[in-house]
Amino acid sequence: MTITPPALSVFETLESEVRSYCRGWPAVFDRAQGARMTDEDGHSYLDFFAGAGSLNYGHNNPVLKRALIDYIEHDGVTHGLDMATTAKRAFLETFQNVILRPRDLPYKVMFPGPTGTNAVESALKLARKVKGRESVVSFTNAFHGMSLGSLAVTGNAFKRAGAGIPLVHGTPMPFDNYFDGTVPDFLWFERLLEDQGSGLNKPAAVIVETVQGEGGINVARAEWLRALQDLCHRQDMLLIVDDIQMGCGRTGGFFSFEEAGIVPDIVTLSKSISGYGLPMSLCLFKPELDIWEPGEHNGTFRGNNPAFVTAAAALDAYWADGQMEKQTLARGEQVEQALLAICAEEPAAHFRGRGLVWGLEFEEPARASAVCTRAFELGLLLETSGPQSEVVKLLPPLTVTSEELDEGLRTLARCVRETA
């Protein structure tokens, strides 16, 4: 399955050294359908990465593809800035009727640009505008994007260093279980807020992931999230939930915070909101926060109408009833049982996760990369996460079949054994 150097030469000679994923998967991919990708030599790979969570409904999902093809053949608007279009109207109406109203969520919807970091930047700007303060609190091992505002609330030292300038107005606090249960929740945070000599500027907002994907699949407890919301309310801070990777059903419910029973002030969505891997992001916020002036935050590609089409089709197909959530939770139990068996044989490994996002952590960090390398050789796409890339990250499509999931988990178990 080794790809010869000439096949990769144009990537190696012309493309920037900044490329990353392709280094771990030395293949030239040609086709993809469902949970599988095929390279130009005909080798098939089971995809447990799903576009970093952008393909929750799999590659080239036939329902979404049909809606997209019909729209294009109809000469539907492709690029629309923030103009009103039939595609945008259909998406907004579907999102309201299928997602917001059944959950009694009052949010206004903003289209900030095509990527997750656009959504985060808009959330930070809005929080600061509303509260008239600059500081934003984030958490250890957080990841919120690669633009400057998002990097300022990101924990990873390597990614932060790429900014090339000081990253300011962001203050990190310990994520859930950062001290292994030895320190009461928010003891440090609340003490700093109440102490006039702490040096902490009053924050406008707190931004949090309910499950830290890039940080190592660190799962916040529901009670910790509820306590965080209560702290924000008491201290006049807005609560922002970054649901870019964990939203759109990844943890079971459409929003990852549903299990905790909280209602964030601001929510960011991207990745799988389009359903088809097309660039799209949303910033959702409570109506009283909608104090934007027209054009105060904008972007040329915030009106990706083909993405609106596939997003509406995905909501109609998978979220009009409760079946997707039930299936995801069932598949998650399947993964959990397999990881239990792996860790019973491998005492130097530990696992954690929710729904269909799981992490297998190794005490020897290099082991995780070795597992992913061997997995690629056996036709399984896996990536690492965590500050030392010590966690094997499992992120299969939500539409993966039980048989495909079993196949991938058996391959994972083999890779763990063979890299011992």
Side-chain angles (χ1 to χ4, degrees):
M1 296 177 66
T2 302
I3 304 301
T4 58
L8 290 173
S9 61
V10 70
F11 305 109
E12 294 170 346
T13 61
L14 188 60
E15 192 178 359
S16 167
E17 291 298 318
V18 78
R19 64 194 189 280
S20 58
Y21 295 117
C22 59
R23 298 179 187 274
W25 301 326
V28 179
F29 295 101
D30 182 48
R31 302 185 312 281
Q33 210 287 317
R36 296 189 185 274
M37 300 187 73
T38 306
D39 69 21
E40 62 180 356
D41 295 322
H43 300 124
S44 178
Y45 303 82
L46 190 56
D47 185 4
F48 272 27
F49 183 61
S54 296
L55 297 164
N56 280 3
Y57 312 105
H59 296 270
N60 285 302
N61 182 291
V63 175
L64 312 188
K65 179 166 64 175
R66 185 71 263 162
L68 179 59
I69 290 172
D70 288 347
Y71 183 75
I72 293 171
E73 289 184 338
H74 178 66
D75 287 335
V77 174
T78 297
H79 180 275
L81 295 167
D82 67 357
M83 293 183 287
T85 65
T86 54
K88 183 197 279 191
R89 180 174 61 199
F91 167 73
L92 285 169
E93 290 175 348
T94 304
F95 190 69
Q96 183 177 48
N97 294 332
V98 175
I99 301 301
L100 297 181
R101 279 180 178 159
R103 292 162 179 80
D104 197 27
L105 294 173
Y107 296 133
K108 297 289 289 291
V109 179
M110 174 182 176
F111 300 98
T115 70
T117 198
N118 292 124
V120 170
E121 294 284 358
S122 65
L124 299 177
K125 285 171 66 174
L126 181 60
R128 288 166 170 144
K129 180 178 173 66
V130 168
K131 291 301 182 182
R133 308 178 207 132
E134 297 174 343
S135 177
V136 173
V137 164
S138 57
F139 291 94
T140 50
N141 290 312
F143 178 77
H144 296 290
M146 297 296 282
S147 51
L148 293 179
S150 300
L151 278 176
V153 290
T154 286
N156 186 281
F158 173 74
K159 292 181 171 64
R160 289 175 62 90
I165 63 171
L167 297 171
V168 297
H169 308 310
T171 304
M173 291 291 166
F175 190 70
D176 190 15
N177 204 38
Y178 187 72
F179 294 111
D180 299 318
T182 61
V183 177
D185 296 338
F186 307 114
L187 175 66
W188 173 244
F189 191 2
E190 193 146 21
R191 183 73 58 84
L192 289 178
L193 288 168
E194 294 175 351
D195 183 359
Q196 295 299 308
S198 71
L200 176 67
N201 292 329
K202 180 80 171 183
V206 175
I207 185 167
V208 67
E209 304 155 273
T210 65
V211 180
Q212 294 182 326
E214 299 304 309
I217 317 301
N218 305 312
V219 182
R221 293 166 296 139
E223 55 266 35
W224 186 86
L225 292 168
R226 287 192 290 269
L228 176 61
Q229 177 176 259
D230 180 63
L231 175 62
C232 288
H233 288 170
R234 285 187 286 107
Q235 295 287 348
D236 187 33
M237 303 178 296
L238 297 178
L239 176 60
I240 305 169
V241 167
D242 181 343
D243 234 4
I244 287 166
Q245 188 167 87
M246 298 303 155
C248 302
R250 177 52 59 180
T251 64
F254 185 84
F255 294 105
S256 70
F257 55 80
E258 291 180 47
E259 180 189 52
I262 64 174
V263 181
D265 299 293
I266 304 175
V267 181
T268 60
L269 288 175
S270 187
K271 290 194 182 286
S272 275
I273 186 60
S274 82
Y276 203 74
L278 298 175
M280 177 179 173
S281 72
L282 303 178
C283 186
L284 313 176
F285 38 81
K286 293 179 177 178
E288 61 269 24
L289 304 181
D290 192 10
I291 63 171
W292 290 112
E293 296 291 334
E296 193 172 7
H297 186 94
N298 58 26
T300 303
F301 294 102
R302 66 197 187 279
N304 186 353
N305 282 256
F308 298 155
V309 170
T310 53
L315 297 180
D316 275 330
Y318 294 101
W319 294 99
D321 57 29
Q323 293 309 305
M324 175 55 76
E325 181 173 356
K326 292 177 182 177
Q327 177 177 297
T328 298
L329 295 175
R331 298 281 192 270
E333 292 176 5
Q334 189 177 344
V335 176
E336 185 174 13
Q337 292 305 308
L339 294 178
L340 273 169
I342 290 172
C343 291
E345 294 183 9
E346 181 51 77
H350 315 278
F351 73 92
R352 51 189 176 263
R354 280 179 59 195
L356 271 177
V357 53
W358 293 85
L360 181 63
E361 180 179 13
F362 292 92
E363 293 176 6
E364 174 54 50
R367 183 87 176 278
S369 295
V371 167
C372 291
T373 297
R374 182 59 180 143
F376 173 78
E377 295 170 352
L378 296 175
L380 175 65
L381 302 182
L382 291 169
E383 254 296 338
T384 60
S385 70
Q388 301 180 75
S389 297
E390 74 277 19
V391 178
V392 174
K393 185 178 184 180
L394 281 71
L395 208 69
L398 305 184
T399 52
V400 68
T401 67
S402 179
E403 293 76 19
E404 289 169 330
L405 201 52
D406 270 338
E407 176 188 340
L409 292 168
R410 286 195 304 271
T411 301
L412 174 62
R414 176 180 170 182
C415 295
V416 173
R417 288 193 299 269
E418 292 183 357
T419 57

